[in-house]
Amino acid sequence: MTKIDKVLYTGKTHTTGGRDGAAHSDDGQLDIKLSPPGSNRAGTNPEQLFAAGWSACFIGAIGIAAAKQKIRLPADLAVDAEVDLGTADGGYFLQARLKVSLPGVDAKVAKVLIDEAHQTCPYSKATRGNIHVELTVA
C-alpha cells in the first residue's frame, strides 16, 4: 500500500442518514440529498457520485498521458461512466465501465491513452484488483 508523501488536497464531507440522507462539504460547494438507487426520490446515490468523480479524474489522467506524447486532445473529450451495485456470493459489490470518447483521435492512439490513464488515475488505482472494470473507446 502506497502512503502519500505530500497531500495535494483533502475533500471533506459530512453525511447523515446513509442512502436516505444528505451530504455536504466543509466548503459549502457540495450540498446534496441522497436516495437509494432506483427509488425515484430526490437526490443522488453513492454509485452516481463515484461514477462522476472517477470519470472526471480519468479525463485528467488522459490529459497527462496526451501531454507526455504531445497529442492534442479534442475539446469534446468525454467519459461515460457506469458503476453497478450488485450482489455475488451473499455480499455487495461494485463493477464499472468507462466508455471514452476522443473524437478525431485514431482508435489505436486513443486505446494507448486510455490504458496509460488507467495506470495513473487515482480512482483506477484504488479499484485495481478490487472490482471488475471495462474500458472502451467510443
Side-chain angles (χ1 to χ4, degrees):
M1 180 182 308
T2 302
K3 184 169 175 10
I4 293 175
D5 294 326
K6 179 182 176 186
V7 174
L8 302 175
Y9 175 76
T10 300
K12 296 179 184 178
T13 62
H14 180 79
T15 303
T16 57
R19 290 179 179 271
D20 282 310
H24 65 270
S25 60
D26 66 330
D27 63 4
Q29 295 298 309
L30 178 73
D31 188 5
I32 57 171
K33 291 181 181 182
L34 299 169
S35 62
S39 70
N40 293 324
R41 290 189 228 151
T44 188
N45 59 66
E47 291 73 29
Q48 289 173 332
L49 293 168
F50 191 72
W54 193 353
S55 57
C57 185
F58 203 81
I59 288 172
I62 291 170
I64 291 168
K68 284 181 187 175
Q69 297 185 33
K70 296 182 177 24
I71 296 170
R72 185 175 173 160
L73 293 174
D76 51 353
L77 158 64
V79 174
D80 291 318
E82 297 178 351
V83 175
D84 299 324
L85 170 65
T87 59
D89 301 322
Y92 292 96
F93 295 92
L94 298 175
Q95 65 184 17
R97 291 169 301 287
L98 301 180
K99 185 176 179 181
V100 182
S101 176
L102 288 158
V105 176
D106 177 78
K108 288 181 184 178
V109 173
K111 179 74 169 118
V112 168
L113 292 174
I114 291 167
D115 288 344
E116 184 173 338
H118 193 50
Q119 295 306 307
T120 59
C121 173
Y123 280 73
S124 293
K125 288 179 182 181
T127 59
R128 185 168 295 113
N130 294 310
I131 69 171
H132 177 75
V133 177
E134 294 177 15
L135 302 172
T136 58
V137 178

